[in-house]
């Protein structure tokens, strides 16, 4: 009898993380799986082509949880997932990252005595104002198997009293997927990408890429104005392309902030067009967690516009600079990069594209001998 695993994803970035695990599961015959889409974020662009690009099938279950407050969303996912688990009980539930779906499905599984595997376990920012930090802490408090991406994850879990035998340093599935997508991109016709004419118009000149969506950066007029002003200054040295989250776009308009002529504002991008854009950037300025890791994996200089990071390996070993929201520090970091004095960095240990294979091997062994 094959053991059954439910793989939980709530939004587009989650599918990037489970895709390598699905591809690894497809290469073996001991574990069966189902892909559960909670519907935390519904994305019209998530069509057949998206899953074909990832090399995985469409989700087996779509729960249509939708939006609402954090509590409403978490509650809706819990109710829907419990109903599903009672009908088709899995032998394990695998969750990724730190979204509300991760928290909700972990709690449901644990109360039904179904073991929980957490991929990207142990990451900590120390910032309890971040909803993601609360989700990480609660999920890890009830997880059975911890799959960590970097040494800090191991350290945090051990300090929190988790058994060393349950902690597995496996590398990073997001990097697995990135390396897979880079290969796909090399064989893809990019002429239809919205980002293609932008790159072409720059005629192979250097450019930077900006992403910014965190409430702490974009919801407060003074903070957004301060960051926008330094971005405007940087754009005088290096043209910037800014795929802006709807929240960010709305607040730029609401606060009447002008980014100037050298920053090109575009809408959010699908994974491949965005990768096509940032992989050739001179510098990426971001408040994203995942992009800190992806830039480190490809050796692209990254300036993180946050006061903390739950991914310190990107700073300690990679190409990431934690600049905060201080314009002087942000400008100084970019100046160093433009002058050729940016961090070289290196790809961290086990970020080799094989994390998903390690995870599947461990789960096969653990579920064979509960």
């Amino acid at each position: 009898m094959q053991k059954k695993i439910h793989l939980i994803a709530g939004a587009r970035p989650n599918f990037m993380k489970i895709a390598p695990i699905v591809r690894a599961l497809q290469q073996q015959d001991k574990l069966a799986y189902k892909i559960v889409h909670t519907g935390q974020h519904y994305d019209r662009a998530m069509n057949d082509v998206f899953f074909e690009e990832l090399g995985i099938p469409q989700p087996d279950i779509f729960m249509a949880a939708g939006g609402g407050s954090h509590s409403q969303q978490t509650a809706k996912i819990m109710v829907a997932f419990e109903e599903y688990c009672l009908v088709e009980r899995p032998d394990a539930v695998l969750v990724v990252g730190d979204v509300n779906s991760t928290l909700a499905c972990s709690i449901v599984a644990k109360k039904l005595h179904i073991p929980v595997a957490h991929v990207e376990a142990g990451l900590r920012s120390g910032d309890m104002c971040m909803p993601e930090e609360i989700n990480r802490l609660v999920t890890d408090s009830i997880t059975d198997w911890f799959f960590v991406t970097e040494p800090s994850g191991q350290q945090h879990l051990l300090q929190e009293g988790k058994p060393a035998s349950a902690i597995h340093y496996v590398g990073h599935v997001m990097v697995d997927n990135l390396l897979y997508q880079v290969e796909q991109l090399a064989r893809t016709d990019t002429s239809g990408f919205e980002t293609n004419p932008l790159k072409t118009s720059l005629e192979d000149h250097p450019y930077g890429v900006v992403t910014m969506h965190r409430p702490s950066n974009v919801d407060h007029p003074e903070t957004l104005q301060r960051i926008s002003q330094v971005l405007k200054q940087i754009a005088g040295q290096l043209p910037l392309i800014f795929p802006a989250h709807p929240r960010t776009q709305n607040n730029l308009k609401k606060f009447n902030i002008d980014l100037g002529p050298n920053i090109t504002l575009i809408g959010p991008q699908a994974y491949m067009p965005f990768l096509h854009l940032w992989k050739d950037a001179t510098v990426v300025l971001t408040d994203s967690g995942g992009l800190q890791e992806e830039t480190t994996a490809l050796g692209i200089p990254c300036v993180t516009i946050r006061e903390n990071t739950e991914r310190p390996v990107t700073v300690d070993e990679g190409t990431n600079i934690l600049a905060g929201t201080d314009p002087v520090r942000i400008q100084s970091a970019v100046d160093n990069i433009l002058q050729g004095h940016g961090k070289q960095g290196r790809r961290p240990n086990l970020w080799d594209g094989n994390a998903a294979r390690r995870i599947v091997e461990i789960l096969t062994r653990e579920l064979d001998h509960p």
Side-chain angles (χ1 to χ4, degrees):
M1 284 286 290
Q2 284 182 312
K3 300 288 187 176
K4 296 182 296 184
I5 300 179
H6 285 173
L7 310 175
I8 310 300
R12 182 179 278 265
N14 294 163
F15 285 99
M16 312 298 180
K17 295 172 185 177
I18 69 162
I21 299 170
V22 172
R23 294 194 294 265
L25 284 164
Q26 289 171 333
Q27 301 301 311
Q28 54 81 60
D29 58 8
K30 292 191 174 179
L31 299 179
Y33 70 91
K34 288 204 171 175
I35 302 172
V36 179
H37 187 349
T38 66
Q40 177 175 330
H41 295 151
Y42 177 70
D43 185 348
R44 286 183 182 276
M46 203 180 277
N47 51 25
D48 292 353
V49 174
F50 171 70
F51 293 100
E52 284 169 19
E53 283 179 348
L54 291 173
I56 64 171
Q58 292 259 356
D60 297 280
I61 302 99
F62 180 71
M63 298 196 309
S69 70
H70 285 283
S71 297
Q72 290 169 331
Q73 190 176 72
T74 303
K76 284 188 284 187
I77 295 167
M78 288 180 71
V79 170
F81 189 55
E82 182 181 56
E83 289 174 359
Y84 177 67
C85 282
L86 289 171
V87 173
E88 190 163 335
R89 191 180 181 93
D91 295 293
V93 167
L94 182 145
V95 295
V96 297
D98 50 27
V99 297
N100 289 339
S101 299
T102 300
L103 171 68
C105 293
S106 298
I107 293 172
V108 167
K110 199 65 180 175
K111 289 197 172 187
L112 291 176
H113 309 293
I114 299 167
V116 175
H118 185 201
V119 174
E120 281 191 335
L123 297 181
R124 302 287 182 265
S125 68
D127 183 356
M128 292 299 285
C129 293
M130 291 175 66
E132 298 91 342
E133 183 76 351
I134 296 163
N135 290 348
R136 288 189 283 261
L137 285 162
V138 176
T139 299
D140 281 342
S141 72
I142 55 175
T143 288
D144 295 275
W145 303 300
F146 305 89
F147 295 108
V148 304
T149 59
E150 60 170 273
S152 73
Q154 286 180 306
Q155 293 159 12
H156 293 140
L157 292 168
L158 289 170
Q159 286 166 1
E160 291 165 12
K162 307 302 185 293
S165 59
I167 302 168
H168 305 281
Y169 180 18
V170 292
H172 202 344
V173 291
M174 199 66 171
V175 175
D176 289 14
N177 190 64
L178 173 64
L179 299 179
Y180 177 88
Q181 299 296 153
V182 166
E183 282 187 17
Q184 296 290 99
L185 190 61
R187 299 191 292 269
T188 300
D189 177 8
T190 61
S191 60
F193 290 175
E194 183 183 350
T195 51
N196 197 63
L198 291 170
K199 289 180 72 173
T200 305
S201 69
L202 292 165
E203 298 177 339
D204 296 323
H205 282 60
Y207 64 91
V209 172
V210 178
T211 76
M212 199 160 52
H213 71 281
R214 292 201 175 273
S216 57
N217 280 342
V218 304
D219 284 0
H220 306 287
E222 302 81 7
T223 306
L224 186 56
Q225 179 68 59
R226 185 170 70 246
I227 295 170
S228 299
Q229 191 58 41
V230 72
L231 292 178
K232 199 170 175 180
Q233 287 174 256
I234 291 165
Q237 306 164 268
L238 180 79
L240 298 178
I241 302 171
F242 190 169
H245 189 280
R247 179 189 204 115
T248 309
Q249 291 201 46
N250 290 338
N251 285 342
L252 287 168
K253 288 177 188 171
K254 181 178 169 184
F255 305 147
N256 198 27
I257 294 172
D258 174 27
L259 293 173
N262 298 321
I263 298 180
T264 304
L265 205 64
I266 60 174
Q269 297 296 302
Y271 188 88
M272 292 290 263
F274 183 51
L275 174 59
H276 172 62
L277 178 68
W278 71 257
K279 76 178 180 65
D280 296 313
T282 300
V283 61
V284 171
L285 298 110
T286 188
D287 61 9
S288 159
L291 204 46
Q292 295 173 53
E293 295 170 321
E294 290 185 305
T295 48
T296 275
L298 293 191
I300 309 297
C302 178
V303 177
T304 296
I305 305 174
R306 283 172 52 183
E307 300 298 336
N308 52 58
T309 179
E310 62 283 357
R311 294 159 165 93
V313 75
T314 63
V315 177
D316 298 339
E317 299 182 27
T319 54
N320 187 23
I321 298 162
L322 194 62
T325 60
D326 176 5
V328 174
R329 287 164 62 196
I330 296 169
Q331 181 73 63
S332 173
V334 172
D335 285 344
N336 283 335
I337 291 163
L338 295 182
Q339 291 163 14
H341 305 310
K343 289 173 68 179
Q344 294 305 303
R346 65 179 180 88
R347 192 180 290 172
N349 183 36
L350 298 184
W351 287 23
D352 57 5
N354 294 309
R357 180 178 55 78
R358 296 182 190 105
I359 290 168
V360 169
E361 286 174 357
I362 292 164
L363 286 176
T364 301
R365 186 173 69 242
E366 293 289 338
L367 287 167
D368 258 356
H369 304 284

